Amino acid sequence: MRRFLLLYATQKGQAKAIAEEICEKAFAHGFSADLHCISESDKYDLKTETAPLVVVVSTTGTGDPPDTARKFVKEIQDKALPIDFFAHLRYGLLGLGDSEYTYFCNGGKIIDKRLQELGAQHFYDTGHADDCVGLELVVEPWINGLWAALTKHFMSSREKERNEALKMASNASQRMEPVKPELLYIESQVELLRLDDLGRKDSEVQEQNAVNRDQSSAPTAESESSLTHSIPPLSQASLSIPALPPEYLQVHLQESVGQKTDFSYQPGDAFNVICPNNDSEVQNLLERLQLTDRREYCVLLKIKADTKKKGAALPQHIPEGRSLQFILTWCLEIRAVPKKALLRALVDYTSDGIEKRRLQELCSRQGAADYSRFVRDAHASVLDLLLAFPSCQPPLSLLLEHLPKLQPRPYSCASSNLSHPGKLHFIFNIVEFLSNTTVEVLRKGVCTGWLAMVVAPILHPNTRVSPAEDGKAPAPEISICPRTTNFFHLPSDPSAPIIMVGPGTGIAPFIGFLQHREKLQEQHPEGHFGATWLFFGCRHKDRDYLFREELRHFHKRGILTHLKVSFSRDAPVGEEAAPVKYVQDNIQLHSEQVARVLLNESGYIYVCGDAKNMAKDVNDTLVEIISKQAGVEKLEAMKILATLKEEKRYLQDIWS
């Protein structure tokens, strides 16, 4: 069987899940995938690898490779490596990212570029999948095209070996043109037909066609498509549905018998809040699975003896011997939008023919638009699906196999240890969004909704809450852990000027900066401290101006040299000229000073907040300012800004 090396670099599990999908599909196409995390350098050696390489890489932070790829990237960035170090390597790379961030798919791009610089060549064009519009829009066709590209590579290699003795030897090997994913679907389908003898069955297609025939005459009064109902042409189409993911977990529910650590931080650091799922959603899911009476039972897992899943392993995020209630509450992201693989798995546990057909449509290639509209864009959860398709009765093991880890949520420290020893402050907005599946529901964010509930007795005390002995509500208990990558720090030289851009809750780390700077200036009254600029913005001055009194205090004392505030929704008063609306407008208004700080005074600029609009707009504004003030073309201004980023003088802590 034709072997290829398959590596993944993951931060939250998406790259790993996609790599595992590639690994499982490989056998049906006549290939054997040697699957490893890119951090497991003891299990592979690219210096001597002769098989083709496939890499799936996610992006974290503001454009960095994931933590699991740090060591790998550091090793290949070694400037002492010769330019032909990987000249023997042929590879294809799939990058994952989010176009709401400035440096889209940059984790994959960093690795891709460096492999090329070291002589490696593509056998398959790089794919860039965008989580903003749906990873599957690129991931699925990229995987479909991979098999024909691999086949072409192996055929070319064999032909090259046969003809090598007949050719005049040449030191420069001929570069093989990479295959383009968008041209490969027909080729990959032909390859499927050739591989029937490998055991691929047509039962899935036969099954869905049978359902199609059974439902062809079923009358319906609905004229518009929805989560549970489709209309022609999709409702009458033959479907190409994905292969059934192999089950691999065996679950046993066993009846249960009845430390604090110091956290040190610097201003600008972020930390993770470990939050639970919404309790009512957990209870509804237990009820739908008919497991309410066993919610306190311990969950015992082991790998099925007859599983066909290659390299099956117990999920590391599910602790051993904890209750079902605990696992659904603290370990699994039950709000996660179900992947098509889960929808495909649910098909086999759905008894109603119409519901089965609709689930097949939603996971099929033909139903991609309906999946995007009614599942991904509607923020559907697995509970939403189970309520919408009542005849679907999956076992618990299926959910444990497919639901991802409940990720901790990152927040910025809004305080300084010097000002508040032993304490940590942070701020949050309560996120609300509409989930529109079968009915429209207003939901709060998993973490912010929980935090709001936790602090409610303090913010809104009422007589129904039992007071503590001192008459106050008990302090809420919130579990946190440090983030592994913290880079958003004040300059080591306090004389360097800094510019801070933080609208809304993006102001959090800068409060810590200013508290820290205030204490340092008290401790070193003769010291030289650089100028500090803060560009803050919010919607309404009267309702949303966070830390107003603190900022006035810092400004009055000279800790904050320049305070520039904008309010996007407040109308001008009287004959007053229209005020600046956004932080980027204020930055543009002070373009000369901003350019002087960055280009002439070796200053630093920090941006914290929304990645989707604000961070991009600020970046574009900085490009304009540098172009105008330095008298250079836009491309050169972008290069100057990129240099500031490399020098860690342009730092972003942004989120979508």
Side-chain angles (χ1 to χ4, degrees):
M1 190 163 289
R2 299 166 292 182
R3 171 189 169 273
F4 66 94
L5 177 62
L6 177 55
L7 301 179
Y8 63 87
T10 193
Q11 186 71 23
K12 296 183 177 179
Q14 286 185 316
K16 180 182 179 183
I18 291 169
E20 288 176 340
E21 179 184 350
I22 293 172
C23 184
E24 289 168 6
K25 289 181 175 179
F27 181 79
H29 292 269
F31 299 100
S32 172
D34 192 4
L35 175 66
H36 301 292
C37 177
I38 206 166
S39 64
E40 299 174 317
S41 54
D42 58 323
K43 297 181 180 178
Y44 65 91
D45 187 358
L46 295 187
K47 296 191 294 291
T48 59
E49 185 59 68
T50 58
L53 168 68
V54 176
V55 193
V56 184
V57 186
S58 65
T59 299
T60 189
T62 56
D64 301 313
D67 295 343
T68 53
R70 275 190 183 183
K71 182 180 176 184
F72 176 83
V73 170
K74 184 178 180 181
E75 289 174 350
I76 65 173
Q77 296 284 21
D78 185 350
K79 294 182 179 179
L81 295 176
I83 59 173
D84 62 348
F85 189 70
F86 286 139
H88 60 285
L89 204 59
R90 302 294 178 267
Y91 75 100
L93 185 143
L94 176 61
L96 313 181
D98 189 327
S99 60
E100 291 187 346
Y101 290 81
T102 305
Y103 300 96
F104 171 60
C105 276
N106 204 48
K109 289 176 181 177
I110 289 172
I111 294 175
D112 197 8
K113 180 183 177 184
R114 188 55 179 158
L115 290 178
Q116 294 271 303
E117 291 172 348
L118 295 174
Q121 298 176 18
H122 288 128
F123 75 86
Y124 187 35
D125 274 0
T126 297
H128 294 132
D130 187 358
D131 201 26
C132 181
V133 297
L135 293 174
E136 69 279 354
L137 297 180
V138 169
V139 171
E140 290 178 7
W142 195 89
I143 294 176
N144 287 339
L146 175 63
W147 316 119
L150 282 167
T151 299
K152 183 174 181 179
H153 169 82
F154 280 108
M155 290 176 66
S156 176
S157 298
R158 286 197 297 268
E159 186 176 345
K160 185 177 177 183
E161 291 171 5
R162 285 196 301 266
N163 296 336
E164 203 166 37
L166 304 175
K167 290 181 180 179
M168 294 297 292
S170 173
N171 288 333
S173 60
Q174 186 176 358
R175 186 180 182 90
M176 186 175 71
E177 284 296 316
V179 186
K180 296 188 178 295
E182 61 268 23
L183 301 179
L184 284 172
Y185 179 67
I186 294 176
E187 291 181 58
S188 63
Q189 292 305 301
V190 172
E191 183 65 18
L192 279 179
L193 295 174
R194 291 173 182 161
L195 294 168
D196 277 345
D197 57 337
L198 292 175
R200 181 171 173 83
K201 305 298 182 185
D202 292 328
S203 58
E204 296 167 10
V205 177
Q206 293 169 359
E207 178 188 36
Q208 74 88 14
N209 282 339
V211 172
N212 210 9
R213 288 193 297 271
D214 290 343
Q215 306 305 326
S216 60
S217 59
T220 176
E222 297 183 66
S223 59
E224 293 185 358
S225 56
S226 66
L227 176 64
T228 57
H229 172 73
S230 63
I231 59 175
L234 179 59
S235 62
Q236 298 170 352
S238 294
L239 303 175
S240 299
I241 63 175
L244 178 66
E247 297 180 3
Y248 66 96
L249 283 182
Q250 182 174 320
V251 180
H252 176 64
L253 293 177
Q254 178 176 299
E255 191 169 359
S256 178
V257 291
Q259 131 188 62
K260 291 184 179 179
T261 58
D262 291 332
F263 184 87
S264 60
Y265 67 95
Q266 295 183 49
D269 278 352
F271 62 96
N272 289 320
V273 170
I274 301 169
C275 60
N277 285 307
N278 180 274
D279 184 62
S280 65
E281 291 175 32
V282 171
Q283 303 314 318
N284 289 340
L285 184 56
L286 285 166
E287 184 178 345
R288 178 61 181 80
L289 294 171
Q290 300 177 13
L291 291 171
T292 302
D293 59 338
R294 289 187 281 175
R295 62 189 175 198
E296 297 301 332
Y297 281 32
C298 292
V299 176
L300 305 177
L301 301 179
K302 65 179 181 179
I303 302 298
K304 285 186 172 183
D306 58 349
T307 184
K308 295 179 182 178
K309 181 179 176 67
K310 185 177 179 181
L314 296 178
Q316 295 184 355
H317 56 278
I318 300 180
E320 185 178 356
R322 301 306 297 262
S323 72
L324 176 57
Q325 171 102 16
F326 179 90
I327 288 171
L328 292 180
T329 302
W330 293 97
C331 305
L332 300 176
E333 192 91 56
I334 64 173
R335 279 266 193 93
V337 173
K339 305 287 187 186
K340 288 187 178 181
L342 175 53
L343 269 67
R344 173 62 188 90
L346 292 176
V347 168
D348 285 25
Y349 292 96
T350 304
S351 57
D352 180 84
I354 296 175
E355 292 181 8
K356 182 187 286 275
R357 164 73 190 193
R358 184 54 175 157
L359 286 170
Q360 288 175 327
E361 290 172 351
L362 291 170
C363 70
S364 70
R365 192 175 70 253
Q366 292 80 4
D370 275 21
Y371 172 82
S372 294
R373 180 181 175 189
F374 299 115
V375 180
R376 183 174 60 81
D377 295 346
H379 305 288
S381 67
V382 68
L383 177 60
D384 293 325
L385 290 181
L386 294 178
L387 294 175
F389 298 94
S391 77
C392 183
Q393 300 292 336
L396 174 63
S397 60
L398 197 70
L399 271 59
L400 300 185
E401 289 172 356
H402 287 271
L403 288 177
K405 175 185 177 181
L406 178 58
Q407 296 288 342
R409 271 49 173 182
Y411 290 90
S412 298
C413 301
S415 55
S416 164
N417 245 332
L418 293 182
S419 284
H420 302 280
K423 294 182 180 180
L424 185 155
H425 299 176
F426 72 100
I427 56 178
F428 64 92
N429 269 337
I430 301 174
V431 178
E432 293 184 331
F433 61 95
L434 285 175
S435 179
N436 190 5
T437 50
T438 51
V439 293
E440 193 171 83
V441 179
L442 182 65
R443 286 178 173 158
K444 290 183 170 67
V446 172
C447 189
T448 59
W450 173 68
L451 288 171
M453 182 191 69
V454 167
V455 302
I458 297 174
L459 299 179
H460 309 288
N462 63 65
T463 54
R464 289 175 294 175
V465 178
S466 299
E469 289 182 5
D470 60 359
K472 297 180 180 179
E477 195 169 288
I478 300 172
S479 298
I480 63 172
C481 62
R483 294 194 75 188
T484 54
T485 53
N486 282 317
F487 56 88
F488 204 76
H489 295 151
L490 282 165
S492 55
D493 178 7
S495 67
I498 63 172
I499 297 171
M500 301 168 283
V501 184
T505 56
I507 196 175
F510 304 133
I511 296 299
F513 279 14
L514 295 169
Q515 288 179 0
H516 199 74
R517 180 63 65 88
E518 181 176 38
K519 288 297 180 183
L520 287 179
Q521 291 186 207
E522 289 175 359
Q523 295 169 2
H524 306 281
E526 304 302 321
H528 175 51
F529 294 88
T532 53
W533 290 74
L534 174 63
F535 292 92
F536 172 72
C538 59
R539 293 185 176 184
H540 300 283
K541 181 178 180 179
D542 294 335
R543 291 185 300 189
D544 308 314
Y545 194 164
L546 300 174
F547 297 102
R548 184 192 308 201
E549 295 307 316
E550 289 89 338
L551 292 176
R552 284 177 178 170
H553 164 78
F554 291 133
H555 193 226
K556 184 177 180 180
R557 290 203 60 194
I559 308 301
L560 178 57
T561 319
H562 306 279
L563 174 61
K564 307 300 176 185
V565 185
S566 50
F567 307 102
S568 62
R569 302 292 173 87
D570 283 349
V573 178
E575 298 181 0
E576 174 187 314
V580 290
K581 293 183 67 175
Y582 302 108
V583 287
Q584 60 267 23
D585 301 328
N586 243 332
I587 294 171
Q588 186 69 260
L589 202 61
H590 299 84
S591 56
E592 290 186 19
Q593 298 96 316
V594 169
R596 185 173 64 247
V597 167
L598 296 179
L599 303 180
N600 302 332
E601 300 176 359
S602 300
Y604 292 67
I605 183 165
Y606 300 83
V607 180
C608 183
D610 165 49
K612 184 176 182 180
N613 298 308
M614 182 277 297
K616 283 186 177 180
D617 291 339
V618 168
N619 189 82
D620 292 344
T621 300
L622 292 174
V623 170
E624 288 180 26
I625 289 173
I626 292 172
S627 176
K628 180 180 178 181
Q629 298 297 325
V632 298
E633 296 293 326
K634 183 177 178 181
L635 181 60
E636 183 61 29
M638 293 171 69
K639 290 180 180 178
I640 292 172
L641 209 55
T643 300
L644 291 178
K645 191 175 191 313
E646 289 176 5
E647 294 174 351
K648 306 297 183 187
R649 292 202 292 124
Y650 175 21
L651 296 166
Q652 295 176 304
D653 184 4
I654 56 179
W655 57 84
S656 57

